[in-house]
Amino acid sequence: MSEERSLNFIEEIIENDLKSGKYTTLVTRFPPEPNGYLHIGHAKAICLNFGLTQKYGGYTNLRFDDTNPVTEKTEYVDSQQEDIKWLGFQWKNELYTSDYFDTLYDFAVKLINKGLAYVDHSTAEEIAQLKGTPTEPGKDSAFRSRSIEENLDLFSRMKNGEFEDGACTLRAKIDMNSPNMLMRDPIIYRIKHAEHHRTGNKWCIYPMYDFAHGQSDSIEEITHSICTLEYVSHRELYDWLIEKLEIYPSKQYEFARLNITYTVMSKRKLLQLVNEGIVQSWDDPRMPTISGLKRRGYTPESIREFCDRIGIAKRENLIELSLLEFCIREHLNKTANRVMAVMDPIKMVITNYPADQTEILIGENNPEAEDKGGHREIPFSNELWIEREDFMEEPAKKWFRLAPGAMVRLKFAYIVKCEDFVKDENGNVTEIHCTYLPESKSGEDTSGVNVKGTIHWVSKAQAKTAEIRVYDRLFSVEAPDSEEGDFKDYLNPNSMEVIKTAYIEPYLANATAAERYQFIRKGYYCLDKDSTPEQLIFNRTVGLKDAWAKAKK
């Protein structure tokens, strides 16, 4: 856990509100639109909203902002619920803006009766033209002066399906001269003849976000409605609607959204990556979605720690992806079992070890774990797989691994000395011949020989095979959204490497999706959902070190 920190500005507001007696129960909400999968930016909002009510008591509602039937699916509802639970949070009430469609309609009628809303038959282009600019006032619509009776009749006919999509809208009557463009008679209802994932074809008119959001907060008596900074300009309309409708005065507060290097956060762009086949799916391990991070091997603890470390601010900033990677490394270092896997194999034959003998060695699972992680059995024989990179025919200066005449320790096993090697017709080394020191067994070493290098290995006879998917950053530049041209021009061509046949120790034959593993000297890995008992597949979560930071120096 991170060190104790000072209160953020939202916590200060809440503490003052509770101390003053303004509220006795803190109520927040997380209101995703079910039009895509949640991403790491949503994780920050989830941790904030649910974390506040965990800290101060009260509760958080999960409310799906399902006001756009064209883009919304039950699939997204289900995935978003699963992601929130996986992060470690539970909502009190599962709600939908569509639960309030009747009430919201009544609210709109109330505004009409107060002379504060009117039906406008202008086209979208005409409305935009009459809105003016930030430096020029808007102009009244020709339909702004309609009578209350006429507006009530027209709005009822909109509800009854008498008009086609786009034929008319309901607008709030506020101030066409307002310096806040959103206050220049905003649209609060539009016509959409589309089947809704929950209400079917009951409705053909749907409230706009600005009309539905604050009123839904009010219905649920949300005390602190926490949004990202792009909604600062919406707060005036939020307050105006609550005031004119004379309903529970929920209050909106804004914080900086999460932007991370080497990725994009726009759901539209993420959907584009999926639809164009650039990634396999929403849960592709290269995606910044919560399901993608989960599949890649990130843990809820690491994501919560990341959100805690970056804090809550009032200014937009770009967070280094390396901080998220640091958080997962820190967590997995304490929780992931150490295992051995060879990804670019070369055969080692220990010539003085009995060919028909298999010895069972003991490996420590995790020396960093609080409970020391336990131990496991590892078979050892005279034929092993080792990494090709651990042998050098002509060793470089300060080379501490295998080379002709050089000695090295095999992890959990013995010290071996390279005696000779075999090449194929292309000059590639195919086999290394070594001798071992019987008295150098790990934990029982009486050889008196000291070596500087230790390498990992897998016994050839007992090795299992696996496919390894090595994932890296999806984009090759820090801020693909800020670069010229199409954001897809900056995709990292090496964001996924597939190693079809790696050799793993037999312990991993029983790997589970819930476990995380450190492949010794390689990085952290997890079992992929595509894996089967016959075809094991592991995803690399993150390397042992920040290779990108090193490359930038």
Side-chain angles (χ1 to χ4, degrees), residues 75-91:
E75 170 196 350
Y76 298 141
V77 171
D78 295 341
S79 73
Q80 291 175 0
Q81 289 177 323
E82 183 180 328
D83 288 344
I84 295 167
K85 290 178 182 176
W86 180 76
L87 280 173
F89 300 108
Q90 182 58 55
W91 52 92

Side-chain angles (χ1 to χ4, degrees), residues 462-476:
Q462 292 81 19
K464 304 296 181 183
T465 59
E467 178 181 304
I468 309 293
R469 297 173 181 175
V470 182
Y471 292 103
D472 215 323
R473 301 173 184 204
L474 188 54
F475 292 91
S476 57

Side-chain angles (χ1 to χ4, degrees), residues 61-309:
N61 288 339
L62 171 60
R63 181 176 74 238
F64 292 101
D65 178 31
D66 57 343
T67 57
N68 187 356
V70 176
T71 60
E72 294 159 2
K73 298 179 182 178
T74 303
E75 170 196 350
Y76 298 141
V77 171
D78 295 341
S79 73
Q80 291 175 0
Q81 289 177 323
E82 183 180 328
D83 288 344
I84 295 167
K85 290 178 182 176
W86 180 76
L87 280 173
F89 300 108
Q90 182 58 55
W91 52 92
K92 180 178 181 181
N93 302 301
E94 179 186 326
L95 303 165
Y96 297 78
T97 302
S98 55
D99 293 336
Y100 312 133
F101 279 172
D102 289 293
T103 304
L104 293 172
Y105 179 82
D106 291 341
F107 283 161
V109 170
K110 185 174 183 178
L111 288 179
I112 294 172
N113 277 315
K114 284 188 162 192
L116 297 175
Y118 61 96
V119 174
D120 193 334
H121 278 80
S122 302
T123 64
E125 292 75 16
E126 290 168 340
I127 290 175
Q129 190 174 13
L130 291 172
K131 275 267 181 142
T133 69
T135 57
E136 297 177 1
K139 297 178 181 177
D140 288 354
S141 164
F143 304 99
R144 198 174 196 264
S145 58
R146 276 176 163 159
S147 67
I148 290 174
E149 291 72 25
E150 186 178 5
N151 284 316
L152 288 171
D153 175 63
L154 288 169
F155 190 49
S156 176
R157 291 168 61 190
M158 284 173 61
K159 174 179 179 287
N160 293 334
E162 293 185 28
F163 301 107
E164 296 180 354
D165 289 8
C168 53
T169 58
L170 183 69
R171 298 176 67 181
K173 187 187 291 187
I174 306 179
D175 182 4
M176 292 303 292
N177 295 315
S178 173
N180 183 346
M181 296 284 288
L182 290 174
M183 298 298 284
R184 296 182 186 178
D185 291 11
I187 296 170
I188 57 177
Y189 262 92
R190 80 287 205 199
I191 301 169
K192 277 188 180 291
H193 290 272
E195 186 170 337
H196 190 276
H197 72 106
R198 292 186 74 241
T199 60
N201 293 306
K202 177 182 177 182
W203 294 90
C204 62
I205 58 169
Y206 292 94
M208 301 294 288
Y209 171 87
D210 278 322
F211 188 69
H213 184 64
Q215 285 60 259
S216 297
D217 284 346
S218 180
I219 292 167
E220 296 170 23
E221 298 192 354
I222 301 300
T223 58
H224 297 76
S225 177
I226 303 167
C227 305
T228 45
L229 281 178
E230 62 263 39
Y231 293 101
V232 167
S233 58
H234 296 246
R235 191 195 321 141
E236 186 178 1
L237 179 55
Y238 183 102
D239 292 340
W240 185 89
L241 287 166
I242 284 176
E243 177 192 345
K244 299 306 179 185
L245 290 168
E246 304 171 82
I247 53 180
Y248 181 86
S250 295
K251 292 293 180 183
Q252 176 179 304
Y253 304 91
E254 305 87 17
F255 70 99
R257 67 185 300 169
L258 174 59
N259 297 299
I260 299 183
T261 55
Y262 298 103
T263 191
V264 294
M265 291 294 194
S266 159
K267 272 197 276 189
R268 177 182 60 80
K269 290 180 178 177
L270 294 177
L271 180 61
Q272 197 174 340
L273 294 175
V274 174
N275 287 344
E276 294 182 18
I278 294 168
V279 295
Q280 296 171 347
S281 58
W282 281 98
D283 69 348
D284 187 299
R286 294 166 292 179
M287 290 279 272
T289 54
I290 295 174
S291 56
L293 291 167
K294 176 183 177 182
R295 185 175 176 185
R296 184 160 172 167
Y298 277 79
T299 61
E301 293 89 345
S302 66
I303 294 175
R304 294 198 302 265
E305 174 67 13
F306 170 71
C307 292
D308 187 54
R309 281 177 178 267

Side-chain angles (χ1 to χ4, degrees), residues 339-341 464 504-511 517 519 527 536 538:
V339 295
M340 295 191 287
K464 304 296 181 183
I504 57 177
E505 59 177 275
Y507 169 79
L508 283 170
N510 298 314
Y517 304 93
F519 288 4
L527 195 70
L536 296 172
F538 289 89

